[in-house]
Amino acid sequence: MTIIKNRKRLAGLFLALVMLLTAGAVPAWADDAGEAPSFREWETDIRLSITPETGLMQEAGMDLAAWDEAVAQRKQDGLSHSIRAGLITAVDKDALLLKEDGRIFQIGASGLFGPVTDALDAYRLAYRLVSAMGGSAKTVMALKNRLTMNDTTIYSFQQIFDGEEVLGGTLKIAVDADNAVTAVFSCLDPEASREQTVVSREEAKAIVAAHCEENGLPAEVLDEYTERSNINILDLPGAMNLDVDIDTIPDQIVWVVYTANEGENADQPDLYPYLAHYVQLNGNYRYSLPVARPSDDSALCGYRKPDVFAGLEPDTYTGEITDINGNVRTVTVPVMRSETDDCWYLGDVENHIAFADYVTCAYGENHDIVLLKSEDNKSWDSEDIYAFYNYLRAFDFYADMGWMGPDGQGTDVLIFKGMAYSNGMVYDNACSLGKLSGWQIFAYAAYSDSGEPLRLTWALDVMAHEFTHTFTGTVMNMNLYENDLGAINEAMSDILGNLVEYICKDTDDPTWMIGENTGDPLRRMTDPQSFCQPAYVWDIYYGPHVTTPNTMNDRGGVHYNSSLLNLIAADLCTEYGMSYEDAVAFWVMTAMGMTPRTDYYQMAPLLNWALKQTGLDGQYQEALDRLVADTRIDSKGFPESLPEGQKLINLVLPDTEAFHSKDWVMFAYQYDLAKQSELRDELAQYVAVLLKDPEQRKAFSESLQNIMDSLHLQDSELDSPTLTMDEPDDQEKDDPLYSLFFDLVSAASNKVIKSETQVITWEQDDTGIIPAVVYDRPSIYVLMNISDGGSKLNKVVVLIGGIWYDLTDFVFDDYGNPDETTSQQLLALSKMLGSQALTAILGTDKPAAAQTVQPASGSVPIEYLSTVGLENIRPVT
């Protein structure tokens, strides 16, 4: 999850690839070893906490066996006293019971629920409601954690199937201070509610004993240590490999069974006297791992986790950083001193935060974690100090609410510097990779490929944005990072990231920009369209949902469509007066109620619940209702009408191999061109001034049409064209009229293009159709096939004169060393595109490039773009 650049910049990057294919100074630092710095910059009444099921078990004074027995009893009782949806509405006709696609996703308070005083009561109610929520008696749920925010308690259940967490399978029960249920949120998966094998603790021990006997290992199980845990099969280097586009991988629920690490096959028994065996709940024996002791970090995460903090002592470093406006700030951050090698390492021993090199861990031979260090505690890179300073400010902002570390449970943190692909190309971004191998992972790129500072870490809202990704991912159980689900996740990070920046007084920007302190803002929340993001569902910058999320389609518009919720948040403060502190409470409460499948349609009633839970509904309910309606997040359909001057287009892709990859994106470059009469009026004004003689003016007018044949729009990146003219030959240079007109073109070129718009879109769901809302103005349509995480451009296809042409060869021929032939090809391409755009100016007949279909009454007409030529596009090999 990243702080991706805005849509317009992304389009510009792709266009540069199409047409071109083509160290900051370190300040002098002062050494100051003193007390650990404090970054607490606000006081708040918000109190957050998270307690995993093991903690709830300990609170109840039970061991694992007693807890499992109590849970089994509550499950049976709940299934025996099932609450059907019809019963809720029969008892209370005004009960809030909300459905999407035939499935209940939210239920309001009901007298049928009864009080929920503890986790075991929550288990009972969860199974009473499981059928109503789309599950069955076969559904298996585990209490993931208990979340609290002030007087609101939320019991969050994770659906389990075949020994794994079900991606998106969650049920939440929200309870108030009087133990009354205020809401139930659900996204259980009916397909994962079939018959399944779930092995017991004793069965898991027997499986381990049998495995050990078969493999000549000591078979005596250390009974008192058997426990349950979650492990992820994706290791740290695998997740960091940017060359691979990795989908969300579910955690596996395992029994961890311990034996002694001894015998002929023992691996370092002196260091690791125990052997942890992992058995999935479905009975599948996974593997074993030598560990130092039961229940340590390595044993619980299933990976050998190095102790990078061993032997390090806390110290501090003080130095100066300079912001984007030239202001100098003296900051103090923790560092870690090693007596062994007399070096300092960037990190915090007390909070277990360390900085390391990205490339070495991701692509190195041994994938080592190499910490950033200084031999004198002075020669630190200012980019890294900035990153640590702002990360700690975000860390402490959440800590002031009681949330310790990114996941609230103090998990060790690794912050990797130098995000890059395996070929060394910089990944110009910052991101949160979530929890991997027992670490919470963050990463950033400090410098561009040319060595210029990227300054991403200079912005507190950017660092708080990434920190918030882990907070929301934790309270949601996970995030299915695609379409609305990912857009909302990105929005929550934008919203809370900006609120952190405002409360810490790190900006005076009134427009809620993201990243303004980098010098290159990424988004503007109060005016998303100024950064090519939608202000409502299906405006010209809205990205359609996709069936196959990938980097090319921004996983269904997760960074583009985030603006819908961003706009609501910004306007609540800027237009309706919500304080920043109240806004934090409101949006944190919203996050607490979210499930992995909360989309925009479900978000609208969730916002109402969060507003009421925080006591803000009396003051802001009317404003919230208006903003929801304006952004259309509560509507699933297409609008009945479009603003004047806009239209809906569809490109129906051929059902051929070339278009099965889903790695296609369409760019619509739209130009508000001067009309023919306007252009000639402009030229006439210049002629009247420069040509005083009537005969010369007449001769000029007669030759105008011939000269116009030499005109075309030209720009190597297509997004900012100018009116240009072929260089005159020697004979034409002697023609005073031609020379005069050449000068006129130069003077009038900025009059031709009044404005331009870039619309980016892709195939909607699995329909084979690329839709877009565009302006009704001259357009150039470009299709691109981009793969390998967005780093490889495969195809460039352009619509010219009603025919799609594969112009890939223009892009790739003799790349990096263009010869005369290539230059001529590029010139020919430019002329073709210019000729198409000039049809609007010169008033020539338009090609039959599209047909318009008028759907049923009340619907927006659809203009179907020509598909001629697409059937000839070859698949990418």
Side-chain angles (χ1 to χ4, degrees):
M1 287 167 279
T2 61
I3 194 88
I4 198 168
K5 308 304 181 186
N6 66 68
R7 176 185 297 241
K8 196 166 185 178
R9 292 180 57 200
L10 183 64
L13 172 62
F14 287 160
L15 283 173
L17 286 171
V18 174
M19 300 307 296
L20 302 177
L21 264 277
T22 58
V26 178
W29 300 106
D31 184 11
D32 181 15
E35 296 182 359
S38 172
F39 297 89
R40 287 178 163 78
E41 301 179 66
W42 76 312
E43 295 182 2
T44 177
D45 294 329
I46 301 172
R47 303 310 306 162
L48 296 177
S49 71
I50 178 172
T51 308
E53 186 175 30
T54 52
L56 299 173
M57 180 179 70
Q58 293 169 0
E59 284 182 10
M62 298 180 181
D63 61 16
L64 184 58
W67 179 262
D68 284 348
E69 182 180 355
V71 168
Q73 292 174 351
R74 300 308 193 279
K75 176 179 180 179
Q76 186 58 48
D77 187 33
L79 293 174
S80 300
H81 297 84
S82 178
I83 301 176
R84 302 285 180 174
L87 180 61
I88 297 174
T89 54
V91 172
D92 183 0
K93 291 183 173 53
D94 296 325
L96 182 66
L97 196 152
L98 303 175
K99 295 182 180 181
E100 183 179 18
D101 299 329
R103 293 167 57 186
I104 298 173
F105 65 85
Q106 182 176 338
I107 302 177
S110 171
L112 292 172
F113 296 157
V116 173
T117 60
D118 58 22
L120 292 174
D121 281 349
Y123 258 115
R124 180 178 183 273
L125 180 57
Y127 278 106
R128 292 188 73 192
L129 290 169
V130 68
S131 294
M133 294 299 193
S136 71
K138 307 296 184 183
T139 302
V140 175
M141 290 186 289
L143 183 55
K144 184 86 169 181
N145 51 55
R146 179 189 65 197
L147 305 166
T148 64
M149 176 178 168
N150 295 350
D151 293 334
T152 297
T153 299
I154 296 178
Y155 295 96
S156 184
F157 291 87
Q158 173 64 53
Q159 187 178 5
I160 309 296
F161 183 74
D162 199 26
E164 293 183 345
E165 292 187 352
V166 176
L167 291 176
T170 290
L171 184 144
K172 287 185 172 184
I173 298 173
V175 181
D176 65 15
D178 297 323
N179 301 320
V181 176
T182 61
V184 178
F185 306 99
S186 174
C187 58
L188 296 182
D189 185 354
E191 294 299 316
S193 297
R194 307 185 302 276
E195 189 72 36
Q196 58 184 302
T197 300
V198 180
V199 298
S200 67
R201 173 180 176 173
E202 295 303 316
E203 290 171 325
K205 289 158 54 179
I207 291 170
V208 169
H211 170 84
C212 290
E213 289 181 1
E214 292 173 3
N215 292 274
L217 299 172
E220 182 180 354
V221 171
L222 304 176
D223 185 66
E224 67 272 25
Y225 296 131
T226 302
E227 58 190 335
R228 270 195 308 271
S229 186
N230 294 34
I231 62 173
N232 195 296
I233 62 174
L234 183 63
D235 63 8
L236 180 56
M240 295 171 64
N241 189 337
L242 295 177
D243 298 338
V244 181
D245 195 359
I246 300 172
D247 289 327
T248 304
I249 297 177
D251 283 355
Q252 295 184 350
I253 315 301
V254 296
W255 287 103
V256 189
V257 181
Y258 297 91
T259 62
N261 183 26
E262 57 187 28
E264 294 182 1
N265 298 321
D267 180 10
Q268 298 180 278
D270 293 339
L271 293 176
Y272 306 107
Y274 298 93
L275 199 59
H277 303 263
Y278 302 93
V279 180
Q280 280 184 260
L281 288 190
N282 62 2
N284 178 31
Y285 181 91
R286 292 284 300 148
Y287 59 93
S288 63
L289 180 73
V291 296
R293 59 186 181 278
S295 301
D296 69 6
D297 281 352
S298 293
L300 291 177
C301 75
Y303 291 94
R304 181 68 56 76
K305 180 182 175 183
D307 186 358
V308 301
F309 303 100
L312 298 179
E313 298 295 331
D315 203 343
T316 60
Y317 164 78
T318 299
E320 293 180 341
I321 56 177
T322 304
D323 68 18
I324 196 65
N325 298 313
N327 301 314
V328 178
R329 178 182 301 180
T330 300
V331 300
T332 299
V333 298
V335 292
M336 305 179 292
R337 174 78 184 279
S338 170
E339 295 287 351
T340 303
D341 59 7
D342 194 27
C343 286
W344 285 259
Y345 293 86
L346 193 60
D348 184 345
V349 173
E350 296 179 352
N351 288 310
H352 276 209
I353 304 169
F355 279 69
D357 179 69
Y358 190 97
V359 172
T360 305
C361 184
Y363 310 113
E365 181 177 356
N366 299 315
H367 302 292
D368 295 325
I369 297 175
V370 178
L371 302 187
L372 304 190
K373 71 176 182 179
S374 167
E375 295 182 353
D376 56 6
N377 200 23
K378 295 179 180 179
S379 55
W380 295 108
D381 188 334
S382 62
E383 298 300 308
D384 304 332
I385 298 300
Y386 232 133
F388 199 13
Y389 172 65
N390 278 331
Y391 178 85
L392 288 171
R393 296 171 77 192
F395 184 102
D396 282 351
F397 186 94
Y398 277 89
D400 285 340
M401 296 186 286
W403 191 263
M404 302 307 299
D407 61 358
Q409 300 175 76
T411 298
D412 296 353
V413 176
L414 280 178
I415 303 175
F416 284 100
K417 174 188 181 179
M419 291 180 71
Y421 296 93
S422 61
N423 63 4
M425 186 175 71
V426 171
Y427 184 68
D428 177 3
N429 230 313
C431 75
S432 165
L433 292 176
K435 190 171 183 177
L436 296 164
S437 303
W439 301 91
Q440 288 291 346
I441 306 298
F442 295 85
Y444 65 98
Y447 297 95
S448 68
D449 287 317
S450 63
E452 294 298 316
L454 294 172
R455 301 192 300 264
L456 282 170
T457 61
W458 293 24
L460 177 56
D461 55 355
V462 170
M463 297 303 288
H465 170 110
E466 298 305 336
F467 193 98
T468 300
H469 271 312
T470 306
F471 165 70
T472 52
T474 300
V475 299
M476 294 169 65
N477 288 350
M478 68 174 65
N479 179 250
L480 300 179
Y481 196 62
E482 60 189 51
N483 298 321
D484 281 1
L485 316 179
I488 290 170
N489 185 272
E490 284 296 330
M492 294 297 291
S493 283
D494 276 355
I495 293 165
L496 286 164
N498 233 333
L499 287 169
V500 171
E501 188 179 54
Y502 280 124
I503 290 174
C504 293
K505 298 180 174 59
D506 231 40
T507 184
D508 56 4
D509 161 48
T511 65
W512 286 59
M513 284 192 292
I514 298 295
E516 72 278 7
N517 284 331
T518 69
D520 188 12
L522 304 168
R523 295 182 276 281
R524 178 179 281 113
M525 293 169 60
T526 58
D527 182 16
Q529 289 182 327
S530 64
F531 277 69
C532 300
Q533 286 187 281
Y536 53 87
V537 176
W538 284 114
D539 89 344
I540 61 171
Y541 299 118
Y542 180 74
H545 291 178
V546 298
T547 302
T548 306
N550 54 35
T551 305
M552 183 282 306
N553 56 40
D554 189 34
R555 300 195 65 81
V558 298
H559 291 96
Y560 302 153
N561 297 341
S562 60
S563 57
L564 303 173
L565 200 62
N566 282 352
L567 185 56
I568 292 175
D571 281 357
L572 279 173
C573 292
T574 60
E575 300 297 323
Y576 297 100
M578 182 180 284
S579 71
Y580 297 144
E581 290 75 11
D582 282 346
V584 171
F586 171 55
W587 291 106
V588 167
M589 184 65 76
T590 298
M592 302 279 273
M594 288 168 57
T595 72
R597 294 191 181 277
T598 299
D599 59 15
Y600 273 126
Y601 184 75
Q602 296 182 19
M603 178 59 72
L606 173 59
L607 293 175
N608 292 333
W609 172 83
L611 203 66
K612 184 175 182 180
Q613 290 299 114
T614 50
L616 299 170
D617 52 325
Q619 190 172 357
Y620 299 108
Q621 187 64 62
E622 184 177 343
L624 179 61
D625 292 343
R626 184 177 298 114
L627 292 170
V628 166
D630 289 345
T631 56
R632 299 188 72 250
I633 66 170
D634 59 344
S635 174
K636 294 177 69 68
F638 197 83
E640 293 186 358
S641 62
L642 292 174
E644 185 177 355
Q646 295 184 15
K647 62 182 179 180
L648 173 64
I649 61 168
N650 277 187
L651 174 63
V652 181
L653 299 172
D655 186 15
T656 59
E657 184 180 354
F659 293 98
H660 290 170
S661 69
K662 309 297 182 183
D663 289 334
W664 290 91
V665 61
M666 184 170 76
F667 297 85
Y669 299 94
Q670 300 199 283
Y671 306 112
D672 186 2
L673 301 172
K675 302 298 183 183
Q676 176 181 355
S677 58
E678 295 175 351
L679 175 60
R680 292 194 174 179
D681 287 345
E682 293 285 350
L683 295 178
Q685 292 179 21
Y686 285 107
V687 171
V689 172
L690 299 175
L691 294 178
K692 301 298 184 182
D693 184 86
E695 291 186 3
Q696 286 184 319
R697 288 202 299 271
K698 181 180 178 182
F700 178 84
S701 178
E702 291 174 348
S703 62
L704 176 60
Q705 190 61 53
N706 291 330
I707 296 176
M708 290 287 275
D709 292 337
S710 300
L711 294 176
H712 54 266
L713 293 175
Q714 181 174 335
D715 187 308
S716 62
E717 296 186 5
L718 299 182
D719 57 350
S720 300
T722 57
L723 182 63
T724 62
M725 186 175 179
D726 292 339
E727 189 73 24
D729 56 29
D730 292 338
Q731 182 178 357
E732 290 170 334
K733 287 180 180 178
D734 295 333
D735 184 346
L737 293 181
Y738 198 101
S739 299
L740 175 60
F741 193 74
F742 195 87
D743 294 337
L744 291 177
V745 168
S746 299
S749 61
N750 64 338
K751 301 291 184 179
V752 177
I753 306 300
K754 293 182 176 180
S755 64
E756 54 86 20
T757 307
Q758 298 172 3
V759 175
I760 304 174
T761 187
W762 42 79
E763 181 180 349
Q764 183 177 17
D765 295 321
D766 202 17
T767 60
I769 297 174
I770 297 181
V773 174
V774 298
Y775 288 116
D776 191 8
R777 60 175 60 162
S779 305
I780 296 177
Y781 295 101
V782 181
L783 270 174
M784 297 185 194
N785 183 283
I786 305 164
S787 61
D788 291 356
S791 63
K792 184 178 181 182
L793 179 63
N794 303 305
K795 291 284 185 181
V796 182
V797 188
V798 181
L799 181 62
I800 301 176
I803 301 175
W804 289 93
Y805 292 93
D806 186 347
L807 301 179
T808 308
D809 291 342
F810 285 108
V811 177
F812 292 111
D813 278 358
D814 301 317
Y815 164 59
N817 185 26
D819 57 17
E820 183 178 358
T821 301
T822 303
S823 300
Q824 292 173 350
Q825 289 176 334
L826 292 174
L827 179 60
L829 169 62
S830 176
K831 285 186 175 181
M832 282 191 290
L833 297 179
S835 175
Q836 179 189 13
L838 279 173
T839 57
I841 301 177
L842 301 178
T844 57
D845 294 336
K846 294 183 178 180
Q851 60 176 348
T852 301
V853 177
Q854 178 69 52
S857 176
S859 299
V860 174
I862 302 174
E863 180 179 306
Y864 288 90
L865 296 183
S866 169
T867 60
V868 176
L870 288 182
E871 69 278 2
N872 299 322
I873 303 302
R874 301 185 305 275
V876 177
T877 58

